[in-house]
Amino acid sequence: MIRLPSTHAAITAPLVASNSAFPGIPIGRSLLDGRPFHLSPVLTDTAVLPSTNSLALGGLGSGKSTTAKARIRRDILQHEHQAVVVDSFGEDNAGEWAPLTRSLGGRVIKAGNFTLNPCSDLFPPEVREELVRSLVAAVEPGALTHQAAHALQHALAHPKATSLNGLVDALVRPEDGRWPAAKLTEWGEGAAIALSRYTEGSLRGLFDGQDASLPETDLPILSFDFTGLDRNSPAIPSLMAAVSCWAEHVWLPQSTAVHRHLVLEEAWQILLSPATSELMQRLLKNSRKEGLSVGAVMHTLSDLGEGKAQDLARLCEIAHVGRLGPEEAAAVGALLGLPAWAIEQIPTLEPGQAVWKVGPDYVDIIQTVLSDEELSLTDTSARRRKAQQTLAAEQEAVATVTDSGEDSDEAQDEELPAPVEQDTGGGAGEGDWDWELPPNVVDTRNVDLPRHEKVLQAALEGRCDEAAQLAALYEREDINTHGLYSTQALAWLETRAQVAELRGDPGQATQLRATVARMGKGDWIEQTDDRTTPQWHRGPEPPTPAPPVDHAPPAPKRRRWPYVAAIAALAITIAAVYQNAENDRERQERQERAEAYKGRSGAALTIEGVKAAVVAHWSTDRERVILELSSYFDRNARYLRIDASGKSASSVRENGWFPKDPEIELPVDDHLADVTVRVAVGGRTWKEGARADSRTVRLSPTGVAYDAETGEELPSDL
């Protein structure tokens, strides 16, 4: 008997034909077809993925947070993205994102150690009012009547309303305005009582400071640590309202990153609050325009109830669902539109495995792969492992005392770990499986691998018709020799599916694999401790207790390697053939770009009614590129700014002229690679300090320019 890890077995025949490939960071490997899974949503074509927001679900220990942390870390390191995290879960009053944040040179901001003044003049007037209304709604939702809103507006205009304490005084003792002071006092009483919770009550110290302590906007990652707060406290939605306003009106306009991420741990606490749900809905809907991806991480959708909060979850185009109970899996599947086969697998998933849904069509089961460094930075199960190690140590001590009378040789044998697999003599023969294959996985122990390799090689060389005919011929031979339902015959269905994909016929590939599933049988693949293949990494496991002494002779170990070698050989061959084809394609594309090289690219843009042009010039030595933004002589232009690779340049119109057009010079590692630049333009209504509308443009040295978010080719100024 043998037990194969899912990555080996599933490589030979995917359950669902998924020929989609997404650009971006590596995340893991598909358990359906063994292929690597990459995804950076902002790099994906908008026709495939209209929104870049994501939702992560899963029970305790399913790996949802670990996957989220690994994704953010890789996007920051590989693509220079920025992230803000709202962290409300951890151990020992420390957020679980803290180690990762510090390792990336970011900052952890603990609730209670900083004060945010919602009345600061660093916020525009409309933002101050919105933030104060959110604070009131967080503690007293019914206090914001129409009359209270007017009293609040009147109080915010008072000279003493430069802090929350001054604002409460202006509500309690207002001056006459359009309405008499007595009326204003009556109307503002509820809002004043609500805000008093922040100046005199249990929430004191969060918002009642005179100075606004606004965090830096140029750090790679910021983590707002709410773990020291009561999870049912109104402080969490209040702080979240403040963080949302800061992110929307300060961080996003000032950030120079190509793309930003806002991650919400335990997001149900935020989405359920009336004070913050509208803020989050606006961020989710405007995320594409703002260059922002919102990521919500939570246990189950049932935490959101059945109201507006679940509607917010539907705005996420990306979902990865870890292990859940059958009932919760069915509810999640219905909300997200998952196929029945995926819903059935959710309760059986192991840590680090998740059903991923990307856009409207792509569904796969992915095993997250972590490096040792990422494992140490994302581990959230230290307490549980410590308890397991303590228990294992106690059991080992008891076993040592009990067996102290045995001779030294037997005692030494008992200290060895128990074998991964041991024959119990239950009647199974050496060549039998101790688990049933999944419905689409073919047993390749008796398959003639060289013939399959020959067919695939022909298909990869472009001779798809010849490969299909050859596969059909070999299939008939195996059917005549071994039978219609033999593993040799089923193996050809998978090879024919591979040929169909290479020929550009995914529909036929899906039908062929569905045939394998109907002819096969069994449950999902079990995961073992085979560490030779990429899989979910864990922290140090507790020592295995010594097995009780059994004086019966030990059962012989199974010879697993012939079967593993057979399946691994087919998997390696297919992977190598695909890799060679991919390398050939990349070499051809690079050759085409080299032939089309012009060394200059530009795009004509219209932003906020202003006609502008961004131009890239590559130096003659092809080691530098100069980016320049100009509005020509458009009288509506007031402000110009460009950002690229951590550098920025801006110019403000003075006396009807721009002193100098913004210009950036960047080093170039690959002169054939595109350059991405963010262009911000302020029009006639722009005021100094205000946010300007922006677009992100990708400039190619071949002279073509694209919208980096939509992939649309832009008109050139050349």
Side-chain angles (χ1 to χ4, degrees):
M1 299 180 189
I2 67 170
R3 182 191 302 268
L4 295 181
S6 56
T7 46
H8 273 185
I11 263 182
T12 63
L15 181 64
V16 173
S18 300
N19 59 356
S20 299
F22 301 104
I25 57 168
I27 293 176
R29 186 172 295 277
S30 169
L31 292 180
L32 302 184
D33 58 17
R35 300 179 192 173
F37 177 72
H38 296 70
L39 179 64
S40 287
V42 69
L43 301 179
T44 305
D45 194 295
T46 53
V48 178
L49 195 61
S51 164
T52 61
N53 303 315
S54 64
L55 174 67
L57 300 170
L60 289 172
S62 63
K64 60 185 182 303
S65 295
T66 298
T67 298
K69 284 181 273 191
R71 289 181 61 197
I72 292 297
R73 181 177 185 270
R74 294 169 187 176
D75 262 329
I76 290 174
L77 293 178
Q78 297 183 28
H79 299 141
E80 297 183 349
H81 290 186
Q82 285 183 316
V84 168
V85 180
V86 178
D87 190 1
S88 58
F89 185 77
E91 295 181 348
D92 300 322
N93 288 326
E96 62 174 298
W97 284 75
L100 179 69
T101 300
R102 296 190 179 101
S103 73
L104 294 170
R107 179 184 174 193
V108 178
I109 302 175
K110 291 186 68 69
N113 293 349
F114 74 103
T115 300
L116 179 65
N117 178 11
C119 301
S120 169
D121 57 7
L122 295 178
F123 290 120
E126 64 275 10
V127 177
R128 291 200 293 269
E129 180 181 350
E130 178 185 14
L131 182 49
V132 172
R133 287 168 64 96
S134 298
L135 297 183
V136 173
V139 293
E140 294 290 344
L144 281 176
T145 62
H146 295 299
Q147 293 85 353
H150 178 78
L152 188 59
Q153 290 174 346
H154 183 78
L156 282 167
H158 196 282
K160 68 168 62 174
T162 58
S163 68
L164 208 56
N165 277 299
L167 177 61
V168 173
D169 289 343
L171 282 168
V172 175
R173 291 184 292 274
E175 297 178 352
D176 287 335
R178 178 169 295 180
W179 300 92
K183 278 283 188 184
L184 293 171
T185 302
E186 178 185 352
W187 292 347
E189 184 178 35
I193 293 173
L195 293 176
S196 296
R197 293 276 301 274
Y198 300 100
T199 60
E200 303 167 15
S202 59
L203 304 180
R204 183 178 181 181
L206 298 177
F207 300 100
D208 55 338
Q210 183 67 32
D211 298 325
S213 304
L214 298 184
E216 304 92 325
T217 59
D218 58 349
L219 295 177
I221 183 171
L222 275 168
S223 176
F224 289 90
D225 187 351
F226 295 172
T227 55
L229 301 174
D230 181 355
R231 294 196 180 188
N232 296 316
S233 169
I236 289 183
S238 300
L239 283 167
M240 188 58 224
V243 170
S244 297
C245 284
W246 168 81
E248 184 177 13
H249 299 284
V250 179
W251 178 53
L252 290 176
Q254 296 183 12
S255 168
T256 59
V258 176
H259 194 69
R260 284 68 58 93
H261 301 262
L262 177 61
V263 182
L264 311 176
E265 275 282 355
E266 298 296 310
W268 62 271
Q269 300 177 89
I270 298 161
L271 298 180
L272 273 179
S273 168
T276 54
S277 61
E278 290 186 7
L279 292 171
M280 294 313 304
Q281 185 176 30
R282 186 168 67 247
L283 283 175
L284 285 166
K285 289 185 175 180
N286 296 333
S287 58
R288 177 179 167 187
K289 181 178 70 175
E290 299 288 356
L292 174 70
S293 294
V294 180
V297 183
M298 66 184 77
H299 291 137
T300 67
L301 282 178
S302 59
D303 291 335
L304 299 179
E306 297 182 357
K308 187 176 182 179
Q310 284 206 6
D311 294 334
L312 297 181
R314 291 188 179 93
L315 295 175
C316 298
E317 288 281 346
I318 305 158
H320 52 106
V321 184
R323 185 186 62 252
L324 294 170
E327 293 184 1
E328 187 66 32
V332 169
L335 182 71
L336 301 179
L338 296 176
W341 64 264
I343 297 173
E344 292 174 359
Q345 301 308 323
I346 290 175
T348 70
L349 297 174
E350 296 292 330
Q353 299 175 358
V355 171
W356 282 71
K357 184 174 186 288
V358 183
D361 303 318
Y362 183 91
V363 179
D364 205 342
I365 299 180
I366 304 300
Q367 174 84 59
T368 299
V369 179
L370 301 177
S371 67
D372 292 336
E373 182 181 7
E374 288 172 331
L375 173 64
S376 64
L377 294 173
T378 60
D379 181 25
T380 57
S381 302
R383 284 185 175 177
R384 182 174 183 179
R385 249 194 335 277
K386 184 176 181 181
Q388 291 173 340
Q389 291 169 350
T390 302
L391 176 62
E394 292 174 354
Q395 292 175 343
E396 184 176 2
V398 171
T400 302
V401 172
T402 303
D403 301 332
S404 59
E406 302 292 335
D407 61 34
S408 59
D409 290 340
E410 292 179 352
Q412 185 176 2
D413 290 342
E414 290 171 6
E415 293 176 1
L416 296 174
V420 174
E421 188 134 354
Q422 187 172 3
D423 190 354
T424 59
E430 181 178 352
D432 296 334
W433 300 82
D434 65 346
W435 54 284
E436 292 182 339
L437 287 167
N440 67 315
V441 175
V442 178
D443 179 3
T444 60
R445 286 171 291 178
N446 300 313
V447 172
D448 187 355
L449 295 178
R451 295 197 300 173
H452 290 264
E453 297 168 10
K454 181 179 179 180
V455 170
L456 288 172
Q457 187 62 43
L460 285 166
E461 292 174 358
R463 296 179 283 117
C464 293
D465 290 339
E466 177 186 336
Q469 294 173 4
L470 198 58
L473 175 63
Y474 288 149
E475 181 183 18
R476 284 196 296 271
E477 291 179 1
D478 281 344
I479 290 174
N480 293 332
T481 304
H482 304 286
L484 178 62
Y485 294 95
S486 63
T487 55
Q488 292 85 349
L490 290 177
W492 285 111
L493 291 176
E494 167 54 23
T495 299
R496 287 171 55 199
Q498 301 270 6
V499 172
E501 284 184 343
L502 293 171
R503 190 173 53 199
D505 190 353
Q508 183 183 9
T510 302
Q511 293 175 358
L512 288 168
R513 285 171 177 143
T515 302
V516 178
R518 288 194 297 271
M519 295 172 69
K521 60 179 181 177
D523 299 320
W524 190 240
I525 303 168
E526 297 184 23
Q527 182 76 26
T528 70
D529 292 333
D530 187 338
R531 304 294 182 186
T532 62
T533 56
Q535 57 182 294
W536 178 254
H537 285 248
R538 303 173 182 269
E541 298 291 343
T544 306
V549 177
D550 186 356
H551 295 287
K557 296 182 179 178
R558 285 179 182 75
R559 294 184 299 170
R560 310 162 84 187
W561 66 266
Y563 312 133
V564 176
I567 294 179
L570 179 58
I572 292 172
T573 300
I574 294 174
V577 173
Y578 271 109
Q579 186 61 47
N580 290 335
E582 182 66 17
N583 291 341
D584 291 341
R585 184 184 63 80
E586 291 178 357
R587 281 194 294 269
Q588 182 178 355
E589 288 182 355
R590 186 169 179 82
Q591 180 64 29
E592 292 174 353
R593 290 174 68 87
E595 293 174 355
Y597 180 83
K598 292 184 174 61
R600 187 174 186 273
S601 180
L605 305 170
T606 301
I607 303 176
E608 201 179 353
V610 175
K611 293 182 179 180
V614 58
V615 179
H617 300 269
W618 278 260
S619 61
T620 54
D621 58 10
R622 302 186 177 184
E623 294 182 354
R624 293 169 294 114
V625 62
I626 299 173
L627 303 171
E628 183 180 359
L629 176 64
S630 173
S631 66
Y632 301 115
F633 301 101
D634 194 320
R635 296 181 179 180
N636 293 325
R638 296 288 183 271
Y639 174 73
L640 301 174
R641 173 169 174 158
I642 52 175
D643 301 278
S645 299
K647 293 186 177 182
S648 63
S650 61
S651 184
V652 179
R653 192 183 189 109
E654 298 176 1
N655 300 322
W657 300 91
F658 285 99
K660 182 181 179 182
D661 289 337
E663 182 179 296
I664 297 176
E665 181 175 322
L666 302 174
V668 174
D669 295 328
D670 181 1
H671 68 281
L672 296 179
D674 295 349
V675 175
T676 301
V677 57
R678 183 184 178 205
V679 178
V681 176
R684 183 182 295 275
T685 60
W686 180 85
K687 296 181 180 179
E688 189 167 357
R691 182 180 63 187
D693 287 350
S694 64
R695 291 183 69 177
T696 304
V697 180
R698 184 159 51 89
L699 300 168
S700 171
T702 61
V704 185
Y706 305 91
D707 187 303
E709 296 181 357
T710 65
E712 177 186 0
E713 184 172 340
L714 298 174
S716 174
D717 71 324
L718 303 181

